[in-house]
Structures are given as structure tokens and as C-alpha cells.
Amino acid sequence: MAADTQVIANLLEGTFDPRRNKEAEAALRVEESKESFSLRLLQIVATDSYSYTTRLASALCFKNFVKRNWTDADGKHKLPPAEVAAIKHELIGLMIASPSGVQAQLGEAISLIAESDFFRQWDTLMDDLVSRLTPNDARANNGVLEVAHSICKRWRPLFRSDELFTEILHVLEKFGPALLKLFETTDQMIEASKDNKEQLHAAFGTLNLLVKLFYDLSCQDLPPIFEENLAPITMLLHKYFTYDNPLLHTSDDAESGPLEFVKAGICEVLVLYIQKYEDAFGAFVDKFIQSAWELLTTTGTETKYDILVSKALQFLTAVARISQHAQNFKSEEVLGLVVDKVILPNLSLRESDIELFEDEPIEFIRRDLEGSDSDTRRRAATDFLRQLMEQFEELVTGIVMKYVQHYLAEFAKDPRNNWKFKDTAVYLFSSIAAKGTVTASQGVKSTNALVNVVDFFQQNIGNDLMTEENVEPMLKVDAIKYLYIFRSQITKEQWQSVFPVLVKHLSSPHYVVYSYAAIAIERVLYLTDNTGQPLFKREDVLPMAQSMLQQLLRLIQQNPAPDKMQENEFLMRCIMRVLLVIRDGVIPMTGELLKGFIDITNTISQGPGNPRFYYYNFEALGAIIRFAAPSEPTKMEQTLYPPFEAILQQDVEQFVPYILQLFAALLEANPSGPLPDYYKALIPAVLTPTLWETKGNVPALVRLLSAMIVRGTAEIAANNQIEPVLGIFQMLISKKANEGYGFDLIETVISSFPVSTLQPYFIPLFNMMFLRLQNSRTENFAVRFVHFYHFMSSRDKEGLGTDFVVNIAEQVQKDIFPKLYLSIILPETNKLIRPLDRKTAIVSFCKTLTESMAFAQRYEKGWGYTAEGLIKLLDRPSLAPTTGNTSTTTGGAGGVGGATGGGGVTMEEIQEQDVDDVNFDTNFTQLNTCRRKLLDPWPLIGDLKSWVGNSLRDANGRNGGKIEEFIKSRTNEQVAWVLFKLMQDAPSTLPQ
């Protein structure tokens, strides 16, 4: 059934109405499943009779539809070929003809399509784009350039590869000459339009996009076509770096205009070229240095120039990084001018900064915080000054300290009115005191030997932190930020006196003050000493933990509006860190804390808008579950199940993967308990295939289903739910992206149910795996299959074992096992790197040698190869698992039996995770605080060599010397010597 265009348009309009937007969104999801839905959306976008908002909503809906439905996990198109072809045929022209807001959404959709299809499956795109360029239609050209930029900007963060360079060369061949030609014609258009504001703005829009594309095409390597034309290109870039026209000025002091954006883009190009291509670009640098100096010394302090000034400072920072060009600054006179004319004007507080501090405090924090990505004048000036100090440490330190002392003296004359002087002094000192990169985890690791950061704090800053009254809030923030930056330079003893003061500042009436206090507290609690131990231990923090947590929750909940409650992720991150430090000290306060968290989670579920906040919210909940649930599992389950179930019922898609993980963690906290009734009722929903279609749900669903299986084996078997579970396994291993999770699930099933219960299913299971190995084998699948084999082979006491696997394999296909063993199992075993994976393989190989009748009687050569494989595993050093890696290779959620899964989480294992880099709509974000425990199936087996030797000797005794006979007749001299030595050296009694 085809989708109806007018019905879709009405539903799109319904999404604007708060009274029926949920209903309209649900109905749109139904329409998605109908034929040609995407083409109907494009039809709405193309129809002028619909309102702009409806067309924009349609473009947005199309983009999201493409994101969800363009390709499957294996990169194959999910839409019919005819629909794919029609979209590609219509999309470019439609985007070029659309209004700018609609263009932006369609451009993102094109970028999403290009990510999977360009250029191998869309090799006509560049020819199509070039054919649409014109000599004088800026609007059409801008549409073409937007498309090209949306495709090429994807290259910026990528690592070099042959495939990437093939794609870049394809674009350069098709688009490079046209780009240079358009540079020339755009220059001519600007000259011709210098008195026509509308045309001039359009032409500058083209120039802005050309500069962006020039960067895109140069980001990986210097294109020959650009190198050959570098002189005319740099002439044009310099012309527009120094260009001015009143028609391009904006009347709003806070609004950057096309002139600022073009010049800022040119600065980005200059930074790229001086960093990567200085040998080719170096001859052109000097004129840009002089122009940047003139720009910085003549540009006003209005916020509309912030982006341009910060980019120009970044260019000079890049210049100063190269010794040859840094000599331009090498004199006390020049450096003095730089500090006076460039550094100080851009580092000093402006009225706009103070207004931001007071009116938009969270935005002030995000811009000001060391390590953030914001392009601020202060950060750019600080980076420039630090780079100059690296080149000329003594000169710069001497010059800056004179200014620092001057500003401190000015402050001392009238502290109430001259507080800005002190703010500047603190910033200046911090800029030259820090050396190297200021890291997010440790702050400043190295300092300028010519100054003393601790003395400066005690003499000039400490009083601002300690004094409760008559201190400007900004100076308190400066004091806290100073501690935050130089936290690694402060001793434990010094921190013990300062830490309670920071905690006290959580009660400050000033938003930025209490937020910075939370930021500093969280980072200090993360600090470790030289031995890797936390600077602050549980007993240090526990006495003040409850009051801290109560105050932090109070600050979060003080404004009940969903957007305000979730705006300050720094407060929630601090809560998470405190919980990780106090560990089971949270138990007495669990009830009170859960009440607050449930209120927060329910509130923000009405409109999730800050991924960082809700990520830390669920990490904090995970910490409570980890440390409190083992002692009171029933209470925790009863408290958290209703609100968690409500979120699942409401289908808050951003929260679902987190809720599923927390459900699993609750069950895992009491692995021996029965499955509660409310979880039993959840099983049918978890087994519903549609829930598994959202790829972000899959890892969490596998973990939850595994936890349900462990605690509800009898109920699942009694309700005939084993087959649906196995259907999920079949679905998972059919997709490359989910194959690891499929093995996690099946290992849980096999370790939980009696072998007799699963007997009818083993042949179909093995048949599925063999078909994947034969028809679409991946390295990950092969390694996971090998682990699965060892998982089965090592469990002879559970009714499995090597002969069980051999028997099943031979029933699937006669004589397949020897081929499988020699071509996959033996060689791929060497790719198992995690300690428990290797332990499983060692136990498996040893039991094959000692217990398998098939290898004793039928596979004589295989017995010898197995002995060789066993020795290789025993001799190969064990590799520790990478923290955060939850799979034998990739795609695992934490299988029973040690294949995968997170270990017992300690504070040191809670890794930093930049959630801004994660797509929260489609990708899975693992909760680190409540990872699944890594279980050792053989906890009594310690020294593996001793255990192997003892097992071989014991089997030899039980079988009348057969093992010794096999060693002599089936292995070479070297292998035999090692095996006999293992048997000789092993103690007489070891666990079996």
C-alpha cells in the first residue's frame, strides 16, 4: 500500500501541535512502513503550496528516515532499488531549489546517503553537481557547494587509507578544476556586486562555501591541482582576508556576518596549510602574519568578531609553533607589543562576558571550561601566549609577570571596583604557569619552572576562596578554576584542607560558583597518585557524602522544567563520581537518593535534550545499583521497576538502551534469586523482534535477556519461550554488526539450560553457524565461533565436551569436523587475546587430549595438532583486556562463561567517555558503572601449566599409560618434551 501525500502532510503539521504531537509522530512511524514514503516526503518538500514549516518538517522527517532506513547493519540498501534510484535522481536538484533551512536538512540527508553509497554506488554524483554550476547564479552554486561540502567534510577526522584517497582523487578529478574556476568567477561577481547588498551577500555565501571546500579537499593531503596553483589561490585568500565592505557589516554587535565567517574560514585554511604543508606554503606566510597582526590590533571587542579573532589567534599560534616563523616574535619589544596589543585585549573580561556570566551561566561555563571545544577569545589568546612561552620561556615569563604584578597592584588599590584587574592577573599567570596540554583528566601535568603555582595561590587567590563575604563571584570562580587547572600540582595534604571549602561552595547562591565547585570536586575525586590509587578514598569522602549528594540533587531539581532540570550535566557528573568513591557507603542513603533520581528521570523523560546529562544520570543510577542492590535486591527492584517500565511503555528512545542495561544490572545483582513476576511479564516484550530492530537496543537487550535466562530458566522452558530466544540468536548472527551479541546470547542459553532440554536444537544451531562460515564468514564471526567451540568443548562435566561437538557436527554434515578443526578452530584460536578466552581454550584443548574418544581413536593427527596448540597457548603471554572492551573481538554484550563482559568495576575502570561523539538515537552507549561482572568458569584453576600437567598425568593413570603412548607416537620431539615436563613438574592434587 502506497503512502498518501496529503495524509503525511497533515501528520507533519500535527507534530507542531503540543496537544497531538505524540499521536502524529506515532502515525508517521506507521506511514514509514508504506511504499514510497520517502518519495512522498520529497514531494511535499518540492510543493510550494505547502507552508515553509511543513516543507521543513518534511525535510527533517526525510533526513531521519534516511538515517534509520537507508542501509542495514551490513551496508545493504533496505529500500527497493527503484526507490533508491529515484531518491538519488531527485534529491540534488530539489536541494538546490529549496530555501536555506530546507537545504540544510536535505544536505544532511545527502551526507548520510553518501556515507554508505559514495562513490562506488553513486559515481555520477560529482558529474551531476559540476553540471549544475553556473557563472552567475549564486543561489544555484551555493546549493551545489552545500552538497559537495556535506560529502567532503566527512574526510576531516578520518585516518588515511587507500579507499579514502581513492574517493578524494575521484572528487578532485571531477570537481577540482570547476572549484578553481568558480573561485575566479566568484571573485569577479564580488567585484561586480560591491554596491549591491543582496548580490554581494549571495556571492560571499559562495566564497564562504568555496573556502570550506578548499579545506575539505586539502585536509588529508595537498592536492596537486592546488599546489600547482598555490600562488593565485593564496593571492585570492589574502585579498579576502583583508577585504572590507560596509554592505557586509552587521548592525547587531552579537551577530557575525558573512565577512567574519569568510575570514575565519580562511584562518582555518591557513592553520591547516602551515601545519601540514609548510614546505609548499611557507613562502606565502609572512604577508598573512602581518595581516593577522593588523586584524587583531584593529578589530573591536564586540562579540560578533569573536569567531574571527579566535581563528586569527589560532593562526598565529600555529605560526609560533614553527621555529623558523616564530623568530618573527623573538625580541622583548615585539613580545611586549604582542602581550599589550593582542593578548591583553582578548584575555580581559568584557561587559558581554559578565552579562553571559549572569544571564546564561551554563553557556559561560561551557565556553570558559578548560578543555572545551568553544572558540573563545580568552582560550585562543591563552593558547597563543603559551606557544610563545614554549619558544621564548624566559622572555615571555618576565614580560607577563610585570603585567601580573601591575594588575594585582591596581586591584589592591580598590578591591571592590578593580576586581577585573585581578581576574586578568589570574588568567595571565595561569596562561604562563601551565606547560604542555591541559588534560581533561589530570589538568596541568607540567608547570613553568620560573613561577610557583602553589605560592601564587596562597598569596593571591586562596583568600578569595576562603572568605565568605565581599568577594566578587567571578573571583571565586577564578579561585576554583585555578585549583581545577592545577589540581595535579597540589598535594593530598593541601587538598584535604581545601576540599571541604569546595564542598561548602556547592551552597553558593551563584550558579557559576556552585557549578565550578561541582566540576572541581568531580575532577579531584578522579585524581590518582603515582601508584594509580585514588587521591581521595572512600573513608575521606564518606563523612560529607550525604550532604554533598543532597545539595547536588537539590540544585538539579530547583527548577522543575524538564529543559532546566537537565541543563547542568556537571552537577550530575559530580553525583556520579561521589557515588563511585563511596561505593557501598551509599546503602544507608539509597532510599532518599532513588526518590530524587526517579523524579529527575521522570521529568527529563518528557523531553530529553541534554545527552551528557542523562548519560551521567543513568551512570549514577548504575553506581547505586552496583553498590546497593546486592545487599537489598528486592527493595531496589520494587522501587525501580515501575518508573523504568513506564519509560519503556512511553518509548523514550534515548533512554531505552540505558533502562534495559539497568534492568539487567538489577537482575545480575542477585543471580541466585528467582525471577520476579514483573520480569516474567517483561519477557514476551523482550522477545518481540521489532524491539531488536533499533540497533542501539541490541547490546542492552542481549544483556537483559541473558540475565532473565539465568534467573528464569524454568519459567522460560515451561512457557515454551526457548524457541523465540533461539530465533533472536538466529536474527543476531545473520548480521555482521550483531554476530558477537548472538554468540553471547547462545552461550548464556547453553550454560543455563540442561543439555537434555536443548538437545533438539543443537543440530539447527550448528547448521546456522556452518552456513555463515561457508557463505559470509567474517574474521570476527570466525573468532567468536572458535570461542564458542572451546566453550562447548571444555564443559564435559555439564554433558557437553569435545565428543558432543564432534557428534553434532557430523550429524550436520559428514566429515565436516576435521576440515573445520584444521582450517578454523586451530588457527583462529591464536587470535583469542583476553585471558579468560585463552583459559577457556587451554581447558578445552587439555580436555580434548585427556577425555575425547574421537581424538583418541579417529583423529590421531588432530590429537598431535591439539597438543601443539595447547603448548602455544601456554607459552604465549596473556594479554590483559582493554578496559571497556566487552567482546572477544567486537560486538559482544557480556557472555556467561567469560567470553565477554565487563569485570568488577573499580573506580579506576570508570573511563572517561566523550558522549558528544556518540549518536544517542541509534548507537549503544554502555554504562560503565554497572558493567556485567566477568565470570571465570574455572575459578579453582590457578596455575594453568600445573593444572594441565596434573590433568595429563591423571588421565594417563586412568587409561593405562595411553597419554604417554600418544605423546610419543603423535607429537614431535619438542612437543613431547614439553608435555612430559608438565606432567613431571605438576603437583599431585589440583582441582579438576
Side-chain angles (χ1 to χ4, degrees):
M1 179 180 177
D4 185 282
T5 305
Q6 189 56 51
V7 169
I8 295 171
N10 293 339
L11 291 173
L12 289 169
E13 291 169 0
T15 61
F16 308 140
D17 185 347
R19 295 168 299 179
R20 60 188 187 103
N21 61 340
K22 288 284 185 184
E23 179 185 341
E25 288 169 2
L28 278 171
R29 284 298 184 97
V30 173
E31 292 295 316
E32 273 191 21
S33 62
K34 296 181 180 178
E35 182 183 341
S36 301
F37 175 75
S38 62
L39 298 178
R40 299 294 172 264
L41 290 174
L42 293 181
Q43 185 179 345
I44 293 169
V45 171
T47 305
D48 291 338
S49 60
Y50 290 114
S51 69
Y52 171 76
T53 52
T54 302
R55 296 170 69 194
L56 179 61
S58 189
L60 177 61
C61 186
F62 175 79
K63 178 191 74 175
N64 291 330
F65 176 82
V66 166
K67 185 185 296 184
R68 290 190 298 268
N69 298 289
W70 191 255
T71 58
D72 61 20
D74 295 332
K76 299 176 182 176
H77 288 138
K78 294 168 70 173
L79 301 177
E83 190 169 346
V84 169
I87 289 171
K88 290 179 179 178
H89 184 264
E90 299 293 334
L91 192 51
I92 305 302
L94 178 58
M95 179 194 167
I96 291 170
S98 296
S100 59
V102 175
Q103 268 192 353
Q105 298 301 325
L106 295 181
E108 288 184 40
I110 291 169
S111 183
L112 290 167
I113 294 171
E115 199 164 327
S116 65
D117 288 22
F118 186 75
F119 69 102
R120 302 290 186 191
Q121 298 181 72
W122 201 2
D123 58 1
T124 60
L125 176 58
M126 283 297 134
D127 289 325
D128 188 7
L129 292 176
V130 171
S131 71
R132 295 174 186 271
L133 291 172
T134 71
N136 51 19
D137 187 344
R139 186 172 179 275
N141 291 340
N142 291 351
V144 171
L145 296 176
E146 283 282 7
V147 174
H149 175 54
S150 72
I151 293 167
C152 300
K153 69 181 180 183
R154 299 177 299 117
W155 304 333
R156 295 190 181 193
L158 300 182
F159 292 108
R160 297 166 71 99
S161 69
D162 290 344
E163 183 66 21
L164 173 61
F165 272 66
T166 302
E167 181 177 322
I168 293 173
L169 288 172
H170 170 82
V171 174
L172 282 167
E173 179 187 347
K174 303 285 186 180
F175 208 79
L179 185 78
L180 293 182
K181 180 64 177 175
L182 191 57
F183 252 126
E184 295 177 12
T185 57
T186 301
D187 177 45
Q188 295 164 7
M189 286 178 64
I190 291 172
E191 289 296 329
S193 309
K194 62 184 179 182
D195 297 321
N196 186 315
K197 184 174 181 178
E198 183 179 351
Q199 292 180 5
L200 183 63
H201 274 249
F204 250 76
T206 305
L207 181 61
N208 187 35
L209 287 165
L210 285 168
V211 171
K212 289 179 179 180
L213 265 167
F214 185 75
Y215 187 107
D216 297 337
L217 294 168
S218 306
C219 67
Q220 291 288 337
D221 204 355
L222 179 57
I225 191 172
F226 291 171
E227 187 172 10
E228 293 163 5
N229 293 276
L230 206 51
I233 290 172
T234 54
M235 184 179 71
L236 277 175
L237 291 175
H238 187 262
K239 174 181 177 179
Y240 288 104
F241 188 52
T242 57
Y243 184 87
D244 194 22
N245 187 322
L247 294 180
L248 295 170
H249 295 179
T250 60
S251 56
D252 188 342
D253 287 347
E255 182 187 356
S256 300
L259 196 59
E260 288 76 49
F261 288 126
V262 165
K263 291 184 178 183
I266 291 172
C267 286
E268 288 186 339
V269 168
L270 298 178
V271 170
L272 174 70
Y273 268 67
I274 199 168
Q275 287 178 340
K276 295 192 70 169
Y277 316 122
E278 197 276 334
D279 54 339
F281 183 63
F284 305 100
V285 168
D286 285 348
K287 62 182 179 182
F288 285 102
I289 295 174
Q290 182 61 36
S291 297
W293 171 263
E294 292 171 2
L295 183 151
L296 289 168
T297 54
T298 58
T299 301
T301 61
E302 295 86 349
T303 55
K304 66 180 178 181
Y305 300 123
D306 285 2
I307 181 71
L308 172 56
V309 169
S310 64
K311 294 296 184 185
L313 284 166
Q314 288 170 22
F315 165 60
L316 291 184
T317 303
V319 169
R321 194 169 286 121
I322 298 172
S323 181
Q324 170 192 344
H325 298 298
Q327 300 309 308
N328 286 294
F329 305 104
K330 189 182 179 182
S331 78
E332 187 169 358
E333 180 184 359
V334 172
L335 287 170
L337 282 171
V338 168
V339 173
D340 188 51
K341 302 295 184 184
V342 174
I343 301 297
L344 287 173
N346 292 300
L347 194 138
S348 300
L349 274 177
R350 301 168 297 172
E351 283 304 313
S352 59
D353 297 321
I354 298 171
E355 289 174 6
L356 193 68
F357 181 94
E358 295 171 349
D359 300 336
E360 297 182 65
I362 191 64
E363 184 61 26
F364 176 90
I365 295 167
R366 289 181 180 141
R367 292 185 187 182
D368 182 63
L369 195 60
E370 194 78 36
S372 79
D373 294 329
S374 299
D375 290 320
T376 65
R377 292 189 186 223
R378 276 194 151 185
R379 176 157 302 107
T382 297
D383 291 344
F384 182 34
L385 185 57
R386 284 178 181 163
Q387 189 58 54
L388 290 173
M389 194 192 70
E390 283 192 22
Q391 297 284 0
F392 318 109
E393 184 174 64
E394 192 170 339
L395 269 176
V396 171
T397 302
I399 292 167
V400 170
M401 284 308 297
K402 290 178 184 177
Y403 280 100
V404 170
Q405 296 303 329
H406 167 73
Y407 285 126
L408 288 174
E410 289 298 309
F411 166 75
K413 292 176 184 177
D414 186 359
R416 179 174 291 276
N417 294 312
N418 289 354
W419 63 268
K420 291 181 187 177
F421 287 113
K422 186 170 185 179
D423 173 83
T424 303
V426 172
Y427 254 86
L428 268 177
F429 182 85
S430 299
S431 299
I432 61 161
K435 291 185 72 174
T437 303
V438 182
T439 65
S441 59
Q442 301 291 320
V444 172
K445 297 290 289 179
S446 178
T447 59
N448 183 345
L450 301 175
V451 298
N452 188 310
V453 297
V454 175
D455 285 352
F456 187 82
F457 177 81
Q458 292 173 339
Q459 295 167 14
N460 301 292
I461 301 175
N463 192 56
D464 294 336
L465 187 69
M466 306 296 181
T467 304
E468 295 187 18
E469 298 179 357
N470 300 321
V471 176
E472 189 68 28
M474 188 78 78
L475 294 184
K476 281 198 176 291
V477 170
D478 289 345
I480 297 171
K481 187 181 177 186
Y482 189 93
L483 291 172
Y484 164 79
I485 293 172
F486 294 106
R487 56 190 176 274
S488 291
Q489 309 303 315
I490 300 171
T491 65
K492 171 70 178 288
E493 292 71 26
Q494 290 167 334
W495 268 120
Q496 284 178 325
S497 64
V498 172
F499 191 82
V501 182
L502 285 178
V503 173
K504 194 172 183 179
H505 279 73
L506 291 175
S507 299
S508 168
H510 301 287
Y511 190 108
V512 181
V513 174
Y514 68 66
S515 296
Y516 253 112
I519 290 165
I521 289 168
E522 190 275 330
R523 289 291 80 189
V524 172
L525 293 181
Y526 183 76
L527 275 181
T528 56
D529 60 22
N530 293 332
T531 66
Q533 293 301 307
L535 199 64
F536 279 82
K537 296 182 172 58
R538 177 182 182 276
E539 56 271 20
D540 298 321
V541 180
L542 195 54
M544 59 187 93
Q546 186 162 7
S547 60
M548 263 198 293
L549 293 169
Q550 287 171 340
Q551 177 61 14
L552 287 163
L553 285 172
R554 192 177 300 121
L555 291 171
I556 291 171
Q557 293 175 283
Q558 61 187 339
N559 190 324
D563 59 329
K564 299 302 291 183
M565 190 176 286
Q566 64 186 302
E567 80 172 1
N568 195 331
E569 68 269 16
F570 306 107
L571 301 177
M572 186 56 77
R573 185 175 178 177
C574 186
I575 291 175
M576 177 199 74
R577 190 66 58 192
V578 172
L579 292 169
L580 289 171
V581 174
I582 66 172
R583 302 176 72 79
D584 58 1
V586 74
I587 293 173
M589 50 188 107
T590 297
E592 177 187 8
L593 292 177
L594 288 182
K595 183 179 178 183
F597 274 104
I598 290 170
D599 175 63
I600 291 168
T601 305
N602 286 339
T603 301
I604 66 175
S605 69
Q606 298 170 30
N610 184 350
R612 284 188 172 207
F613 181 91
Y614 57 74
Y615 167 73
Y616 291 124
N617 174 66
F618 290 118
E619 285 282 24
L621 272 168
I624 295 174
I625 291 170
R626 171 162 179 76
F627 298 124
S631 63
E632 32 190 23
T634 303
K635 178 181 175 182
M636 294 281 285
E637 288 173 356
Q638 291 174 346
T639 303
L640 289 173
Y641 188 89
F644 285 0
E645 183 191 33
I647 287 172
L648 294 182
Q649 289 178 342
Q650 295 162 17
D651 192 25
V652 184
E653 61 179 344
Q654 299 94 327
F655 288 7
V656 168
Y658 295 121
I659 295 298
L660 295 173
Q661 290 178 78
L662 295 177
F663 266 145
L666 284 167
L667 284 174
E668 292 159 2
N670 182 27
S672 60
L675 187 66
D677 289 340
Y678 31 80
Y679 279 103
K680 294 176 186 176
L682 195 59
I683 291 176
V686 171
L687 294 177
T688 304
T690 53
L691 191 60
W692 296 76
E693 291 175 1
T694 303
K695 62 182 179 181
N697 291 345
V698 169
L701 282 168
V702 168
R703 181 179 176 186
L704 176 58
L705 183 54
S706 297
M708 287 173 162
I709 289 169
V710 170
R711 286 182 59 173
T713 306
E715 290 84 355
I716 291 171
N719 294 327
N720 297 317
Q721 291 171 321
I722 292 178
E723 289 191 11
V725 171
L726 297 180
I728 297 294
F729 163 74
Q730 182 178 13
M731 179 180 66
L732 291 174
I733 67 163
S734 69
K735 297 181 178 180
K736 295 174 185 177
N738 295 332
E739 56 198 17
Y741 300 116
F743 280 105
D744 289 337
L745 179 62
I746 200 62
E747 287 174 9
T748 300
V749 170
I750 292 171
S751 63
S752 301
F753 290 96
V755 173
S756 58
T757 302
L758 299 176
Q759 192 68 46
Y761 306 112
F762 280 113
I763 291 176
L765 286 173
F766 273 71
N767 191 43
M768 291 177 210
M769 296 181 199
F770 292 172
L771 286 173
R772 267 297 311 267
L773 286 170
Q774 292 169 4
N775 299 330
S776 54
R777 169 181 165 183
T778 64
E779 182 177 351
N780 181 52
F781 188 91
V783 174
R784 286 308 311 259
F785 172 78
V786 167
H787 181 273
F788 173 74
Y789 166 80
H790 290 303
F791 165 84
M792 295 277 290
S793 171
S794 60
R795 292 173 174 255
D796 57 321
K797 292 186 178 179
E798 289 87 346
L800 301 172
T802 305
D803 288 348
F804 182 90
V805 176
V806 171
N807 181 47
I808 296 296
E810 292 300 304
Q811 289 184 67
V812 173
Q813 183 179 333
K814 186 172 176 56
D815 296 329
I816 193 175
F817 183 79
K819 299 173 186 175
L820 197 68
Y821 197 74
L822 294 175
S823 65
I824 296 179
I825 293 171
L826 282 172
E828 296 292 329
T829 293
N830 292 321
K831 296 178 182 177
L832 298 173
I833 61 171
R834 290 168 58 95
L836 279 186
D837 294 352
R838 289 163 41 74
K839 187 175 185 179
T840 300
I842 288 169
V843 173
S844 164
F845 277 159
C846 185
K847 292 195 173 190
T848 298
L849 298 178
T850 61
E851 309 298 333
S852 171
M853 296 301 295
F855 275 76
Q857 298 174 1
R858 293 160 54 192
Y859 306 136
E860 295 182 11
K861 289 184 178 180
W863 200 100
Y865 294 143
T866 302
E868 290 180 24
L870 174 61
I871 290 171
K872 286 179 183 178
L873 285 175
L874 288 171
D875 287 343
R876 182 179 167 200
S878 182
L879 299 177
T882 303
T883 304
N885 177 15
T886 59
S887 177
T888 306
T889 49
T890 58
V896 173
T900 59
V905 181
T906 65
M907 195 185 84
E908 294 80 2
E909 292 173 314
I910 307 302
Q911 296 300 298
E912 290 307 295
Q913 191 164 2
D914 184 357
V915 293
D916 286 345
D917 289 340
V918 181
N919 184 326
F920 287 88
D921 291 330
T922 58
N923 288 346
F924 171 69
T925 305
Q926 178 172 262
L927 294 176
N928 292 306
T929 54
C930 58
R931 284 199 216 161
R932 189 172 189 171
K933 290 182 179 179
L934 189 64
L935 301 177
D936 185 347
W938 301 276
L940 298 179
I941 299 177
D943 187 309
L944 283 166
K945 289 186 177 181
S946 296
W947 180 84
V948 168
N950 183 273
S951 298
L952 290 169
R953 189 173 59 207
D954 179 66
N956 189 57
R958 285 187 285 108
N959 293 283
K962 284 289 186 183
I963 299 299
E964 285 190 14
E965 180 185 325
F966 290 165
I967 292 173
K968 291 175 182 177
S969 62
R970 299 181 179 184
T971 67
N972 60 43
E973 185 177 333
Q974 183 179 3
V975 172
W977 183 87
V978 174
L979 292 176
F980 282 133
K981 183 162 179 55
L982 287 171
M983 294 168 67
Q984 176 184 334
D985 294 347
S988 57
T989 56
L990 282 171
Q992 297 299 309

